Amino acid sequence: MYSDTAITLGKIQCEFDCLYGTKEMLRRLSVKDRTEELLRICNRENVSFESFEYLERTLINKGK
């Protein structure tokens, strides 16, 4: 019913939020650091660059 890509992106989003979305991590890590961690997760999961860009906008840039 759901696409595999959507499920994978949801899992990445959940993992990233749990690890790097806390107040402490937002204070400790720069935008560059958080972007590098997101890219590392996306590479591990073999998602496309377009999917990475979507997650970057959603999780780091908050729609900017």
Side-chain angles (χ1 to χ4, degrees), residues 1-53:
M1 182 169 192
Y2 296 105
S3 81
D4 290 338
T5 302
I7 292 170
T8 301
L9 294 181
K11 287 180 0 185
I12 291 171
Q13 183 173 356
C14 184
E15 177 182 349
F16 185 84
D17 279 340
C18 288
L19 294 173
Y20 305 107
T22 63
K23 288 180 183 179
E24 178 186 345
M25 292 307 272
L26 289 171
R27 278 193 310 269
R28 288 179 49 191
L29 298 177
S30 68
V31 170
K32 180 182 180 231
D33 293 333
R34 294 176 73 229
T35 301
E36 288 173 352
E37 290 303 318
L38 179 60
L39 184 58
R40 182 186 60 76
I41 294 169
C42 287
N43 283 334
R44 183 190 71 209
E45 297 296 328
N46 281 330
V47 298
S48 68
F49 183 70
E50 291 81 14
S51 294
F52 165 75
E53 288 181 313

